[in-house]
C-alpha cells in the first residue's frame, strides 16, 4: 500500500521515497557525470542543505552538477529509473524553501550551465542557459542600449532558471512586467528525461499556453535548460520622487491616487517607519526618519515624458498630504534614494539576529489596513516587524525580526507570518506574490484553495510528472496534509476536505 | 439569477454529451470546425453576464464570461481605462463578441507587441471543469504565484478544457495622448525600420505595413509623442481616420482581410520580427513590429506549416473555406502528449470543444 504510492502521483498523500535504491543511483551518476560533477560525501552536501530561507534544512542523498543539457538528461534518466526525487537548484536564493533538498533525493544544480548562448540585438532577444545570473544578461547587452527588465533585488546572484521557476518580479515590474511577461521560450527536460519546448522565438505558438503554465511552477513540472528572454530598450531618463507621510493611511491612499490619476510609475515602493529607521543610519539615503511612511515613486522614459510624469505625480502626492517631497536631481541622487530601499533586507539583518521575510499580495486599497493589523500582531506575538511594500502592485514584504536562539521565537515568528498570510487571503489577496509556495507556505495553501482546486493542481503535476519525482512535497499540499493542518478554509459554500479522514 | 445559470451549465456538463461552449459566436470561423468529428450541443454563456467588480485604482476588473466586450469596454472607458491587448471583436456585428470568447480564443490586437498579449492581462478566473466542479485560480491582484497558473492556461484554450465563468483582468489607463503617422517604404525597409525602432525607447504602440505604406501609432505623454513624431518623420494622419484604421485592423475588417482572393485561405504568421519578407505572395500585411504577417494563399496547409517551421515561425489558417482539420500548426509529439494528459485532467469525459484547438483533443 505504502509502496504503490511511489508509482503514481496522487493528490491524497505525500509520497515516501525511503525505499529508493541509493547504491544503484550513485553508480549511475558516476557513469553519466564527469569526475567532480557529483557529490555524495556529507560535508560536500552541506552547502546545499537550504536555500535563502535557512530556517528549513535537509541534507540530500547526492548533488549533481551537470555541465550541459545532455548531462542533465542523463541525470534525470538515472533518477527516473531509480525512482529517486530530483530537486532543481539555481543559485539557491529562493525565499520559500523551494530548492531545499529531499532527504532521499538528488539536488540537480544548474549552476554550471551559465553560458549566454546567443544575443540577437536586432530581434531584442537573448538565449541563455538556466544558470546565468539575472544581472549578467543585462550586463551582456548594455552595449546595445538594451536590458532584461525584471529586476529582483537578488539580481546579482539569482539565476534566470530560478526566476522562471518562481515567476520573479522586481521593483520595476509594475510597468515592465514579471518574468512571465519577459520570457519567450523555455526548453525543458521532463521527469522522464524527455525534452520539450514551450513558446518560441516568435510571439505566439500553436496549442495550449504551456509556457505560461511552466513559468512559476517551482521546479515541479520540469527542469529548464534553455531560456529565450525578451530584451527591453533602456529608457533615456529616469527620476524618482521621495515622499514622506505622517500617517500610513494617507500614504496608502496616495498610492491608489497615483494609479487613479492614470499614471503607471516605473516603480512605486513604500517603507514604514521601522524600515526607514533601520535603513537610514547605514545608507544615509536622506529618508525622513520621523515620517510614518515614505513612498518612492519613479518615472522613466524619454526626457519629455519623465518631466511631464514627475510633475503630475508630484501634484497627486502633494494633494494627498505628503509632508515632504524631494525629486532626484541627478542619477547619483536617484541611486541613493533606491539604495535605501534595496538595503532593507540587509538592514533587517543588522538590527536583528534573524528576520523572516513574508510575501503576501493584497488589493492596494487595503495597504494601510494591513499595516495597522501588523502593528497589532507585533503586540500579540511580542515581536517587531518592519515593512517594505511593492506598493504599486500590493505586494508586501513584512520583515519579522526574531532571534532563533531564543527558545520559542521561531515558532512565534511562524505564527505571526501565518496570520499575515491569512489576512492577505481575507483581504482578497494571495499568500505569495513572488517568492513562491515552496516548502514554507505549503500549509497556507490549504487556506487559499479548496480540495477540488488542489486536486486540479495535482492533476496538472501528474500530467507532467506522473511519478511525482520532481520536487516532491513542495508547492501544492497533499489533501491529507491539509486535513491534518486543520485550519481549513471554506469558500463558495464548499466544506473543505470533507472526504479526507482526519488523523 | 447567475447561480441558476451556472447550475444550468453544470446540468449540461453532467449529461456528458459533447459540448461546444459559445459566447456571441463571433469566432465560429476560427480554429478547428466547431464540433469537430462529433455532433455537439451548444453551451451558450451569454446569460452569465455582467461586471462582478471594478475598482479603477486597483487596475482590475472582474467580469462574467458572457458579458460583451462592448459593454465591458464602455464601463472601462467611463473611467478612462481600457483593455490594452485590444481583443478583436470580428463578427458582422461588433457587439456580439463576449469577454469569455475573447479569453478562450486568446487573440490580441494591434497593441500586442508593445502592451502584451491577452494572456498577460489575465489575473485569475473561475471555471467549471468537465466534472462539473467550480474552481477558482489566480486572483484579483497583479502578483500572485500561489499554485500553477491555470488561469493563463485557459487563455487560448478554445473551450477544450472547461467553461470560463468569470475572469479578472488587469486594465490600464487610456494613454494620455495618441498620434498616427504614415511613411511610404517597401516591406524590406519597413521591417528594418521597425526592428531598429523596437530597440529604442520610443512610444510606439502599434505598427502596420501594407501596400507600400507603413502606419505607426504613438501613445503616451503628449511631449513624448510629439518628440517621437519629429524624430520618426512621415506624415501625420487625421485622428478620426487613424482611429478607424486601427479599429479595422483590430477587428479584422481592413479591406486586406476581406479581399476576395478566389477562395484562398487567409494566413496569420507569428514570426520573429526580424524575419525578412519570405512569403512570396502578391500581398502581405505586417503588424506587431514585424512579428505578425498576414497573407492569402491556396497552398496546402501542411506546406505552409512546414515553411513556417523552417523559419522558426508558426502559421495559422485564420479564415478558410477549405476543411478545418489542421488550421493550427501540428504540435511536437512530446508537447502533444502533455496536451492530451492535461485535457484528461480538465475534461475527463472528453466533452468540451472537440477538434477546436487540435484534432486530437
Ligand atoms: C536578498 C534577496 C532579495 C530577493 N528579492 C527578490 C525580489 O525582489 N523579487 C523576487 O521575485 N524574488 C526575490 N528574491 C527571491 C529569489 O531571489 C528568487 O525567487 C529567485 O528567482 C530565485 O532564483 P535562484 O536561482 O536562486 O533559484 P533557487 O533558489 O535555486 O530555486 C528556486 C526554485 O526554482 C527551482 N529551479 C531553479 N532552477 C530551475 C530550473 N532551471 N528549472 C526548473 N526549476 C528550477 C528550484 O527547484 C526552486 O523550486 C530575493 C531573495 C533574496 C535572498
Amino acid at each position: 500500500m505504502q509502496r504503490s504510492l511511489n508509482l503514481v502521483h496522487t493528490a491524497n498523500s505525500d509520497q515516501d521515497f525511503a525505499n529508493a535504491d541509493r547504491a544503484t543511483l550513485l553508480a549511475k551518476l558516476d557513469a553519466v557525470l564527469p569526475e567532480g560533477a557529483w557529490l555524495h560525501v556529507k560535508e560536500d552536501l552541506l552547502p546545499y542543505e537550504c536555500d535563502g530561507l535557512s530556517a528549513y534544512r535537509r541534507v540530500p542523498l547526492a548533488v549533481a552538477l551537470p555541465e550541459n543539457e545532455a548531462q542533465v538528461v542523463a541525470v534525470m534518466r538515472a533518477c527516473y529509473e531509480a525512482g529517486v526525487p530530483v530537486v532543481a537548484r539555481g543559485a539557491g536564493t529562493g525565499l520559500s524553501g523551494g530548492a531545499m533538498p529531499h532527504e532521499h533525493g538528488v539536488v540537480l544544480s544548474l549552476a554550471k550551465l551559465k553560458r549566454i548562448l546567443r544575443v540577437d540585438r536586432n530581434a531584442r532577444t537573448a538565449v541563455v542557459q538556466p544558470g546565468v545570473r539575472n544581472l549578467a544578461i543585462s550586463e551582456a547587452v548594455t552595449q546595445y542600449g538594451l536590458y532584461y527588465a525584471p529586476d529582483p533585488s537578488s539580481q546579482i546572484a539569482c539565476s534566470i532558471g530560478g526566476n522562471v521557476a518562481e515567476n520573479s518580479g522586481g521593483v520595476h515590474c509594475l510597468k515592465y512586467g514579471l518574468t512571465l511577461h519577459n520570457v519567450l521560450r523555455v526548453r525543458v527536460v521532463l521527469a522522464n528525461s524527455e525534452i520539450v519546448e514551450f513558446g518560441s522565438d516568435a510571439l505566439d505558438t500553436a496549442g495550449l499556453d504551456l509556457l505560461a503554465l511552466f513559468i512559476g511552477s517551482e521546479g515541479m513540472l520540469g527542469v529548464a535548460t534553455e531560456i529565450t528572454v525578451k530584451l527591453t530598450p533602456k529608457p533615456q531618463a529616469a527620476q524618482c520622487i521621495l515622499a514622506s507621510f505622517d500617517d500610513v493611511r494617507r500614504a496608502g491612499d496616495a498610492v491608489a491616487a497615483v494609479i487613479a490619476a492614470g499614471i503607471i510609475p516605473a516603480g512605486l515602493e513604500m517603507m514604514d517607519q521601522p524600515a526607514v529607521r533601520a535603513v537610514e543610519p547605514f545608507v544615509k539615503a536622506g529618508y525622513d526618519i520621523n515620517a510614518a511612511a515614505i513612498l518612492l515613486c519613479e518615472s522613466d522614459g524619454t526626457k519629455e515624458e519623465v518631466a511631464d510624469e514627475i510633475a503630475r505625480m508630484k501634484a497627486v502626492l502633494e494633494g494627498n498630504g505628503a509632508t515632504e517631497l524631494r525629486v532626484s536631481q541627478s542619477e547619483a541622487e536617484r541611486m541613493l534614494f533606491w539604495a535605501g530601499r534595496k538595503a532593507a533586507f540587509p538592514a533587517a539583518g543588522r538590527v536583528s539576529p534573524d528576520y523572516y521575510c513574508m510575501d503576501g499580495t493584497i488589493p492596494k486599497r487595503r495597504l494601510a489596513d494591513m499595516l495597522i493589523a501588523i502593528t497589532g500582531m507585533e503586540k500579540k506575538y511580542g515581536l517587531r516587524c518592519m515593512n517594505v511594500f511593492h506598493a504599486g502592485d500590493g505586494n508586501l514584504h513584512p520583515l519579522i525580526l526574531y532571534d532563533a536562539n531564543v527558545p520559542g521565537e521561531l515558532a512565534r515568528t511562524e505564527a505571526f507570518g501565518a496570520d499575515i498570510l491569512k489576512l492577505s487571503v481575507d483581504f482578497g489577496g494571495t499568500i505569495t506574490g513572488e517568492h513562491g509556495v515552496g516548502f514554507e507556505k505549503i500549509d497556507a495553501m490549504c487556506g487559499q484553495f479548496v480540495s477540488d482546486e488542489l486536486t486540479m493542481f495535482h492533476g496538472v503535476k501528474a500530467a507532467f510528472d506522473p511519478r511525482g519525482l520532481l520536487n516532491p512535497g513542495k508547492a501544492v499540499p497533499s489533501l491529507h496534509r491539509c486535513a491534518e493542518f486543520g485550519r481549513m478554509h471554506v469558500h463558495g459554500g464548499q466544506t473543505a476536505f470533507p472526504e479526507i479522514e482526519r488523523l | 439569477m447567475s447561480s441558476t445559470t451556472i447550475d444550468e451549465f453544470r446540468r449540461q456538463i453532467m449529461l456528458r454529451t459533447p459540448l461546444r461552449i459559445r459566447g456571441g459566436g463571433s469566432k465560429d470561423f476560427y480554429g478547428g470546425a466547431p464540433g469537430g468529428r462529433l455532433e455537439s450541443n451548444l453551451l451558450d454563456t451569454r446569460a452569465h453576464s455582467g461586471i462582478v467588480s471594478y475598482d479603477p485604482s486597483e487596475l482590475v476588473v472582474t467580469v462574467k464570461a458572457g458579458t460583451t466586450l462592448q459593454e465591458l469596454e464602455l464601463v472601462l472607458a467611463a473611467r478612462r481605462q481600457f483593455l490594452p491587448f485590444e481583443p478583436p471583436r470580428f463578427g458582422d456585428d461588433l457587439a456580439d463578441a463576449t469577454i469569455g470568447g475573447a479569453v478562450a480564443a486568446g487573440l490580441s490586437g494591434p497593441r500586442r507587441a508593445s502592451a502584451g498579449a491577452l494572456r498577460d492581462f489575465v489575473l485569475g478566473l473561475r471555471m467549471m471543469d468537465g466534472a462539473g466542479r467550480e474552481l477558482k485560480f489566480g486572483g484579483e491582484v497583479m502578483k500572485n504565484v500561489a499554485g500553477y497558473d491555470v488561469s493563463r492556461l485557459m487563455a487560448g484554450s478554445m473551450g477544450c478544457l472547461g467553461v470560463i465563468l468569470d475572469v479578472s483582468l488587469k486594465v490600464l489607463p487610456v494613454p494620455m495622448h495618441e498620434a498616427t503617422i504614415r511613411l511610404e517604404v517597401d516591406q524590406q525597409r519597413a521591417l528594418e525600420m521597425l526592428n531598429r525602432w523596437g530597440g529604442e525607447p520610443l512610444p510606439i504602440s502599434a505598427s502596420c505595413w501594407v501596400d507600400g505604406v507603413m502606419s505607426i501609432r504613438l501613445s503616451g505623454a503628449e511631449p513624448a509623442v510629439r518628440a517621437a513624431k519629429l524624430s520618426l518623420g512621415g506624415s501625420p494622419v487625421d485622428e478620426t481616420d487613424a482611429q478607424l484604421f486601427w479599429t479595422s485592423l483590430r477587428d479584422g475588417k481592413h479591406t486586406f482581410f476581406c479581399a476576395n482572393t478566389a477562395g484562398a485561405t487567409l494566413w496569420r504568421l507569428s514570426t520573429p520580427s526580424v524575419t525578412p519578407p519570405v512569403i512570396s505572395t502578391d500581398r502581405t500585411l505586417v503588424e506587431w513590429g514585424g512579428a505578425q504577417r498576414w497573407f492569402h494563399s491556396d497552398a496546402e496547409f501542411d506546406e505552409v506549416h512546414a515553411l513556417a517551421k523552417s523559419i522558426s515561425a508558426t502559421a495559422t489558417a485564420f479564415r478558410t473555406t477549405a476543411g478545418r482539420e489542421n488550421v493550427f500548426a501540428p504540435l511536437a509529439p512530446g508537447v502533444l502528449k502533455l496536451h492530451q494528459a492535461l485535457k484528461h485532467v480538465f475534461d475527463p469525459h472528453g466533452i468540451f470543444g472537440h477538434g477546436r484547438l487540435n484534432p486530437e483533443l
Side-chain angles (χ1 to χ4, degrees):
Chain A
M1 180 63 190
Q2 270 286 339
R3 297 198 52 177
S4 69
L5 288 177
N6 269 342
L7 297 175
V8 188
H9 177 83
T10 69
N12 291 327
S13 2
D14 287 311
Q15 300 173 80
D16 173 11
F17 295 92
N19 300 322
D21 181 352
R22 185 168 187 263
T24 314
L25 175 80
L26 295 185
K28 275 193 181 148
L29 289 182
D30 193 43
V32 299
L33 291 175
E35 173 107 31
W38 66 285
L39 313 169
H40 70 288
V41 178
K42 175 124 191 232
E43 67 202 38
D44 294 337
L45 300 177
L46 287 182
Y48 296 88
E49 69 178 349
C50 65
D51 63 6
L53 180 61
S54 56
Y56 305 113
R57 295 164 190 267
R58 275 187 207 148
V59 179
L61 195 65
V63 174
L65 294 145
E67 288 159 5
N68 54 45
E69 186 185 72
Q71 289 176 7
V72 173
V73 169
V75 172
M76 295 290 275
R77 185 176 306 132
C79 291
Y80 186 73
E81 286 166 0
V84 168
V86 177
V87 179
R89 183 184 178 96
T93 68
L95 289 175
S96 56
M100 181 187 71
H102 191 284
E103 66 267 40
H104 302 300
V106 169
V107 166
L108 176 61
S109 165
L110 284 310
K112 289 188 176 173
L113 275 77
K114 54 174 189 222
R115 279 173 42 227
I116 295 180
L117 300 172
R118 282 190 295 285
V119 173
D120 188 333
R121 173 189 184 170
N122 222 1
R124 290 146 276 133
T125 57
V127 181
V128 302
Q129 292 189 319
V132 171
R133 288 174 307 114
N134 172 298
L135 190 61
I137 303 175
S138 292
E139 285 168 351
V141 300
T142 183
Q143 52 184 316
Y144 307 128
L146 301 170
Y147 74 117
Y148 175 64
D151 57 344
S153 308
S154 51
Q155 70 180 148
I156 43 169
C158 65
S159 74
I160 187 73
N163 292 175
V164 166
E166 302 287 11
N167 190 17
S168 300
V171 291
H172 292 99
C173 64
L174 179 60
K175 182 166 172 186
Y176 294 99
L178 306 161
T179 304
L180 172 88
H181 305 106
N182 290 279
V183 166
L184 284 172
R185 180 190 72 110
V186 285
R187 198 171 148 86
V188 172
V189 180
L190 298 175
N192 65 4
S193 77
E194 204 177 324
I195 296 178
V196 288
E197 292 201 6
F198 307 141
S200 79
D201 291 345
L203 294 177
D204 297 328
T205 47
L208 295 169
D209 196 339
L210 300 186
L211 179 64
L213 186 65
F214 186 79
I215 294 176
S217 64
E218 303 195 24
M220 303 287 291
L221 304 184
V223 175
T225 52
E226 204 178 284
I227 297 146
T228 304
V229 298
K230 258 191 233 178
L231 303 171
T232 304
K234 275 196 271 188
Q236 235 175 48
Q239 255 185 319
C240 186
I241 303 178
L242 176 61
S244 307
F245 291 84
D246 58 10
D247 176 77
V248 291
R249 196 164 289 283
R250 264 197 287 280
D253 291 346
V255 169
V258 168
I259 307 284
I263 305 168
I264 304 295
L268 182 49
E269 299 282 308
M270 176 160 154
M271 292 169 75
D272 71 354
Q273 191 178 62
V276 168
R277 290 195 171 173
V279 159
E280 185 56 24
F282 299 108
V283 183
K284 306 212 165 36
Y287 291 175
D288 176 358
I289 55 167
N290 294 314
I294 63 160
L295 292 182
L296 287 166
C297 196
E298 179 150 287
S299 170
D300 70 9
T302 63
K303 288 197 187 67
E304 302 84 2
E305 233 173 335
V306 172
D308 181 81
E309 202 169 78
I310 288 283
R312 283 189 291 126
M313 295 195 301
K314 252 178 86 172
V316 175
L317 295 171
E318 270 161 1
N320 279 271
T323 51
E324 198 191 312
L325 273 186
R326 284 167 55 201
V327 181
S328 65
Q329 297 302 317
S330 65
E331 192 56 14
E333 191 177 15
R334 186 179 76 86
M335 298 310 279
L336 186 64
F337 285 2
W338 281 108
R341 164 64 185 87
K342 291 196 170 163
F345 289 19
R350 280 182 169 120
V351 298
S352 167
D354 299 285
Y355 69 91
Y356 184 35
C357 173
M358 306 307 298
D359 172 46
T361 305
I362 56 172
K364 287 183 282 289
R365 61 175 175 275
R366 307 307 296 265
L367 282 175
D369 295 334
M370 179 55 95
L371 272 175
I372 291 161
I374 288 177
T375 308
M377 294 176 201
E378 291 185 270
K379 295 203 184 80
K380 175 173 168 194
Y381 292 103
L383 292 166
R384 287 177 303 151
C385 180
M386 50 189 255
N387 292 289
V388 290
F389 291 174
H390 300 302
D393 37 37
N395 187 197
L396 324 165
H397 290 322
L399 302 168
I400 306 171
L401 309 180
Y402 72 103
D403 183 348
N405 291 324
V406 175
E409 273 210 4
L410 177 59
R412 279 206 326 273
T413 303
E414 287 176 323
F416 191 156
D419 267 11
I420 296 176
L421 297 187
K422 182 170 180 308
L423 195 58
S424 300
V425 176
D426 292 347
F427 279 173
T430 175
I431 58 168
T432 173
E434 57 182 13
H435 294 165
V437 174
F439 178 72
E440 176 206 17
K441 288 180 277 275
I442 193 98
D443 290 334
M445 283 289 281
C446 309
Q448 187 163 336
F449 295 98
V450 298
S451 62
D452 281 348
E453 291 153 356
L454 294 173
T455 301
M456 182 59 87
F457 287 146
H458 285 289
V460 169
K461 162 78 171 169
F464 283 76
D465 175 19
R467 298 191 191 174
L469 292 176
L470 294 180
N471 221 357
K474 308 278 182 69
V476 185
S478 68
L479 299 185
H480 251 121
R481 192 175 172 113
C482 285
E484 280 176 61
F485 177 58
R487 220 172 34 110
M488 257 129 355
H489 173 79
V490 178
H491 79 210
Q494 256 179 301
T495 315
F497 313 104
E499 67 282 31
I500 304 288
E501 200 183 311
R502 305 294 197 274
L503 295 179
Chain B
M1 163 76 190
S2 240
S3 85
T4 55
T5 317
I6 289 178
D7 290 342
E8 173 56 22
F9 293 167
R10 182 177 290 114
R11 190 193 64 77
Q12 276 187 280
I13 288 170
M14 288 318 206
L15 296 175
R16 293 197 186 169
T17 50
L19 282 177
R20 171 181 162 204
I21 307 164
R22 187 172 188 257
S26 66
K27 294 163 194 78
D28 281 352
F29 71 88
Y30 178 67
R37 300 176 303 267
L38 297 163
E39 196 57 46
S40 51
N41 295 323
L42 211 61
L43 189 154
D44 189 331
T45 63
R46 282 174 300 182
H48 185 62
S49 137
I51 310 282
V52 178
S53 64
Y54 174 39
D55 183 345
S57 69
E58 298 291 335
L59 301 176
V60 178
V61 65
T62 299
V63 59
K64 294 183 189 172
T67 315
T68 62
L69 280 174
Q70 181 165 278
E71 181 187 344
L72 172 60
E73 294 190 290
L74 277 174
V75 169
L76 299 177
R79 308 301 298 263
R80 285 199 54 78
Q81 295 191 334
F82 77 136
L83 301 173
F85 48 93
E86 299 184 321
R89 288 164 294 192
F90 304 122
D92 294 331
D93 186 343
L94 292 184
D96 284 344
T98 64
I99 185 65
V103 173
L107 296 168
S108 312
R111 211 175 291 264
R112 159 70 168 111
S114 71
L118 175 136
R119 72 93 131 123
D120 293 330
F121 291 85
V122 172
L123 298 176
L125 54 72
R126 204 157 58 88
M127 61 173 288
M128 190 173 285
D129 72 1
R133 294 179 297 195
E134 235 178 280
L135 308 164
K136 200 166 176 287
F137 298 105
E140 301 189 329
V141 288
M142 299 295 151
K143 284 165 86 177
N144 182 0
V145 293
Y148 305 120
D149 202 343
V150 173
S151 6
R152 290 191 171 101
L153 181 70
M154 293 298 291
S157 64
M158 292 294 286
C160 83
L161 296 181
V163 186
I164 298 168
L165 299 174
D166 312 335
V167 56
S168 298
L169 297 163
K170 176 177 173 178
V171 297
L172 284 178
V174 173
M176 297 282 165
H177 196 76
E178 281 198 330
T180 296
I181 54 162
R182 276 203 178 123
L183 302 103
E184 281 184 31
V185 280
D186 65 22
Q187 193 189 160
Q188 174 78 39
R189 183 89 185 94
L191 288 171
E192 282 165 17
M193 290 163 98
L194 287 169
N195 280 291
R196 178 156 44 78
W197 290 339
E200 294 170 15
L202 290 164
I204 296 177
S205 68
S207 57
C208 173
W209 178 92
V210 64
D211 297 333
V213 178
M214 179 154 70
S215 307
I216 302 283
R217 183 175 64 191
L218 303 160
S219 307
E222 205 271 333
V225 170
R226 189 163 11 99
K229 250 166 99 173
L230 278 176
S231 80
L232 299 187
S235 50
V237 180
D238 167 79
E239 210 176 305
T240 320
D241 290 351
Q243 191 87 34
L244 284 172
F245 174 75
W246 296 113
T247 307
S248 75
L249 271 184
R250 167 185 174 182
D251 295 322
K253 304 290 184 193
H254 187 280
T255 52
F256 178 90
F257 302 118
C258 311
N260 186 353
T261 34
T265 295
L266 171 67
W267 286 89
R268 179 172 94 91
L269 189 75
S270 181
T271 173
S273 60
V274 290
T275 305
V278 276
I279 312 298
S280 55
T281 58
D282 302 343
R283 286 175 82 201
T284 302
L285 186 146
V286 179
E287 278 190 280
W288 299 359
Q292 172 161 272
R293 321 244 175 122
W294 299 91
F295 59 93
H296 291 92
S297 166
D298 44 25
E300 292 292 326
F301 285 11
D302 292 349
E303 214 176 292
V304 181
H305 288 311
L307 169 74
K309 194 172 174 210
S310 73
I311 55 166
S312 309
T314 303
T316 305
F318 202 76
R319 273 185 199 269
T320 184
T321 49
R324 282 161 63 179
E325 269 276 291
N326 296 309
V327 294
F328 295 117
L331 301 173
V335 174
L336 178 60
K337 263 194 290 177
L338 291 173
H339 275 68
Q340 287 166 323
L342 285 168
K343 166 80 175 172
H344 186 72
V345 171
F346 283 83
D347 181 16
H349 312 297
I351 55 178
F352 292 129
H354 275 282
R356 211 66 211 280
L357 182 71
N358 186 287
E360 310 286 328
L361 298 183

